[in-house]
Every structure is written in C-alpha cells, then in structure tokens.
Amino acid sequence: MRYGAAVFATDYSVSPGRFAEMAEERGYESVFFPEHTHIPASRDTPYPGGADLPEQYWHTHDLFVALTAAAAATKHVKIGSGICLVTERDPIVTAKEVASVDVLSGGRFIFGVGAGWNLEELRNHGTDPSSRFRLMRERVEAMKAIWTDDEAEYHGKLVDFDPIWSWPKPVQRPHPPVIIGGMGPRVVERVMAYGDGWFPQPGRAPHEEFMKRLGELRRATDEAGRELPEMSAFGAKPDPAVIDEYAAAGVTRTVFWLPSVQEDELSGSFDKIAERIGEPLR
C-alpha cells in the first residue's frame, strides 16, 4: 500500500510547498490538493460532507499554483490534483498547465478529475450542471489529444476546436494518469471510458456502497479483458483494519486528509496518523 496526504492549501495554513516537504520527509508517496475557484455566497446545493461547508473551501490557493509550489519544494513525492474541477476550466489552458507541472516536476504529476457537486459554483462558470459529466468527458478527451498529438483537434458536442499547436508535452507518456473521482452509479462507466484509475471517497458513502462500486469495476474490467485500473481511496481513515480490507480488494493507494493549519499543529496530525497505522511509510 502506498500512502498519500491531502490538504486544502489555504491562505491561513502552511504553504503548499512546505506541506509537500513535510509529507516527503515522512515517506509519503504522494500529496494532493483539491480545487474550488470560489464558493457562491448563497447556494441551495447541500454540502456532501453534511453540516456546514468549512471555510477552507473558499480560502484555497489556485490549484496549479499550489501544485507548482509543491513540485518546486520536493524531489520525489508525486504531486496530484484531488480533484481538478475540469467542468470549470478551459481545456486548452488546463492541458498546458497539466503538461507544464508534469515537465517541471520531472514527471511526478497525477491528474485527479471530477465534475463537481456545487451546482451554483458550476453555473457561475457557465456550466450547465445537467450536462457536466458529458462536459468532463469531452474536456478530458480533448486534453489527451493536446498532450499526445503535434497538431491536436477535437470535435465534440460541448468542446470543439480545429488543429492547434501546444507545448510542452508531458514527460509521462502518453500523458499523466487521469484518475476519475466520484462514487455515483455511473462512475465505473466513466473510469472504463476515459480514465486511468478511480479516485473514490469511501468516507463520503456507506462502506457497502464503496465495496459495491469496487465489485462493479472488477466485473467491468474482467468483461473487457483489461487489468484493474489503479484505485486510490481518498480521505480514508487511518485504520489498519480498513486499510487491509482496501488492499485485499485491490486498492493500491490510501490518501489521508490533513487539517489546514500551521506547521506545528500539522506535525502533530502527521504523527497521529503514523501512530494509528502502526507502520513506517518508507
């Protein structure tokens, strides 16, 4: 099992570069940052985590600025988006940002993507929530074309452009792994169609639902004659029994959430996770 650490990189907490350094010093394999461009001051969409939406959601640094800072501060730890809201981003610009971070990090980028849950936030970006999953697929497919083709073009229903030139190309070939977030009933279909892995949040749903989706993914890959894609349990509890169960099911990475706090307090949180999982990370 590989271990990752995730944090909302905010303007009031430890810097994303220092967070990545701390994780690397402790032997973590990867670090991840989430994304919200903003949070609407008034919204009807309920927070998936229940209760009130934590303020860290509207205090985050720009995702790719945080990723670049983390990459520049480290040498070995992988740098990932957990997740990038591609439904709120221009695909040509985002493709260049992904490729640039991958190049500048020496091929350490992991591209976690999602369609978003905050409907008012999506609408502020001109995205129709009812078509966001189709939009996510088309934007990912368009970015893959930009990363892999010297003259890239894409013609979909929601994304459409004639041949373009865009460099740099990613270090990882054909491109950084695209990890599909989500736990919904069609997530397996999305992973199979255009993903290189699955990024579920088992803490956001009953354990039985997570295991059900995992079983569906196993059956789908068996029927397609494909290997099981990489699975990363995002936001998992640092519980050895739970981690063992994930490992037995084929999960290869467990990502723990860390609080958005200053360095001294963050060190204590890292220590508590190490104590609970009862094994060295290296």
Side-chain angles (χ1 to χ4, degrees):
M1 179 67 71
R2 289 165 285 159
Y3 294 109
V7 74
F8 278 78
T10 70
D11 57 354
Y12 57 78
S13 58
V14 67
S15 71
R18 183 57 189 142
F19 175 78
E21 283 183 313
M22 293 174 72
E24 185 170 75
E25 290 165 0
R26 288 162 173 78
Y28 279 82
E29 177 256 359
S30 50
V31 295
F32 295 89
F33 303 102
E35 170 174 55
H36 283 278
T37 60
H38 71 290
I39 294 296
S42 176
R43 60 187 175 81
D44 296 322
T45 308
Y47 171 44
D52 295 329
L53 185 69
E55 68 171 350
Q56 62 196 20
Y57 275 77
W58 59 91
H59 279 267
T60 56
H61 291 297
D62 174 82
L63 174 62
F64 283 92
V65 172
L67 290 164
T68 302
T74 55
K75 295 181 179 180
H76 307 294
V77 69
K78 294 184 178 181
I79 312 295
S81 56
I83 49 116
C84 176
L85 295 173
V86 295
T87 49
E88 299 180 1
R89 288 182 160 273
D90 178 274
I92 297 174
V93 173
T94 306
K96 181 176 285 288
E97 290 176 323
V98 168
S100 297
V101 172
D102 197 54
V103 169
L104 294 173
S105 68
R108 291 186 280 142
F109 188 58
I110 301 171
F111 193 35
V113 302
W117 58 268
N118 191 330
L119 305 188
E120 289 80 10
E121 180 181 349
L122 289 162
R123 293 190 184 104
N124 285 348
H125 282 280
T127 295
D128 180 356
S130 67
S131 60
R132 67 188 187 277
F133 290 104
R134 177 169 188 147
L135 180 64
M136 178 169 73
R137 175 171 182 165
E138 290 194 7
R139 286 184 174 173
V140 169
E141 290 176 343
M143 286 188 282
K144 286 184 176 182
I146 294 170
W147 296 327
T148 56
D149 298 339
D150 286 351
E151 288 194 359
E153 62 182 297
Y154 186 85
H155 303 286
K157 181 178 180 181
L158 302 175
V159 178
D160 185 85
F161 55 85
D162 290 328
I164 64 171
W165 297 330
S166 179
W167 268 262
K169 302 299 184 184
V171 170
Q172 298 180 81
R173 305 305 293 164
H175 51 72
V178 178
I179 313 300
I180 309 297
M183 290 275 288
R186 297 188 64 183
V187 69
V188 170
E189 175 185 327
R190 296 178 192 116
V191 172
M192 296 295 293
Y194 59 94
D196 302 305
W198 181 34
F199 221 164
Q201 289 185 277
R204 288 275 181 90
H207 182 68
E208 296 76 15
E209 182 176 343
F210 170 57
M211 299 306 292
K212 178 183 178 182
R213 294 284 177 265
L214 200 155
E216 292 172 355
L217 182 58
R218 282 188 174 279
R219 288 192 294 274
T221 53
D222 287 344
E223 291 172 2
R226 289 170 49 179
E227 292 185 2
L228 193 67
E230 181 177 76
M231 295 185 288
S232 303
F234 197 78
K237 293 181 179 180
D239 182 327
V242 172
I243 294 170
D244 287 346
E245 184 176 12
Y246 290 164
V251 173
T252 56
R253 178 186 294 115
T254 299
V255 182
F256 306 121
W257 275 115
L258 276 297
S260 299
V261 294
Q262 288 297 318
E263 185 169 339
D264 288 348
E265 189 174 349
L266 183 61
S267 293
S269 296
F270 270 119
D271 292 342
K272 288 179 182 178
I273 290 174
E275 292 170 3
R276 292 186 65 181
I277 63 177
E279 62 177 91
L281 297 180
R282 294 188 187 278

